[in-house]
């Protein structure tokens, strides 16, 4: 009895915690390897070529959307196309560098409304589907753009 209780206390204080620690350690090692083998968002979007196609189709779709096309009636679309490709390239892990104004500066005094934001994001989402971007990559990219809302809307 005495040896059994000693054994039990040794197991619970030494062996089980270290087995648990080893499991945690091994679990922690396995994860980064599987993440490293996953393709980057940039490559899932098809690199610069794929992103350029998405942005081009998006600007066509925006220009057909009566909810927001008035906003872009006098815009320099060639410049906007380049800026968006650089911005999305950089955001998704590509070599591009966005050198334009930050999102607050770029949209201030435009008084963009919540409804216009929704229309813009809906057009973007539909464009990603239209260009057959994989669903997880769609979500990831939309997740990178969504936090910009507070800098863009209502100023
Ligand atoms: C995540 C959402 C958005 C992103 C990433 C974005 C990005 C940009 C960028 C990079 C520029 C160019 C800045 C520069 O170089 O001067 C720009 C300009 C502009 N954006 Fe946005 N924008 C977003 C949402 C919106 C929304 C919702 C609207 C209105 C419905 C809008 C309307 C405009 C307009 C009118 C310009 C000026 C274009 C010009 O005159 O050349 N943007 N945006």
């Amino acid at each position: 009895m005495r040896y059994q209780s000693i054994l039990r206390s040794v197991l619970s204080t030494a062996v089980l915690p270290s087995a648990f620690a080893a499991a945690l350690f091994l679990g922690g090692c396995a994860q980064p390897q599987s993440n490293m083998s996953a393709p980057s968002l940039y490559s899932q979007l098809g690199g610069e070529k794929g992103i350029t196609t998405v942005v081009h189709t998006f600007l066509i779709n925006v220009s057909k959307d009566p909810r927001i096309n008035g906003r872009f009636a006098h815009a320099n679309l060639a410049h906007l196309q380049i800026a968006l490709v650089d911005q999305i390239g950089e955001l998704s892990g590509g070599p591009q560098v966005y050198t334009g104004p930050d999102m607050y500066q770029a949209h201030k005094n435009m008084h963009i409304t919540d409804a216009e934001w929704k229309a813009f994001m809906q057009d973007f989402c539909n464009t990603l589907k239209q260009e057959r971007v994989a669903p997880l990559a769609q979500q990831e990219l939309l997740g990178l753009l969504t936090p910009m809302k507070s800098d863009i809307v209502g100023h």
Side-chain angles (χ1 to χ4, degrees), residues 7 17 23-24 27 44 52 55 61 63 71 79 85 90 115 142 152:
L7 187 63
L24 271 182
Q44 289 181 73
T52 302
V55 171
N61 290 343
S63 72
R71 289 282 188 183
H79 168 82
V85 170
E90 182 176 328
L142 291 168
I152 294 173

Side-chain angles (χ1 to χ4, degrees), residues 65-113:
D65 184 345
R67 297 173 298 176
I68 51 173
N69 58 6
R71 289 282 188 183
F72 298 89
H74 304 290
N76 181 345
L77 292 181
H79 168 82
L80 189 56
Q81 158 98 25
I82 292 167
L84 286 172
V85 170
D86 283 348
Q87 197 181 29
I88 294 171
E90 182 176 328
L91 273 175
S92 63
Q96 292 75 12
V97 179
Y98 172 70
T99 56
D102 64 39
M103 289 299 94
Y104 174 76
Q105 287 297 331
H107 300 91
K108 80 171 176 194
N109 301 323
M110 287 190 195
H111 311 291
I112 293 171
T113 65

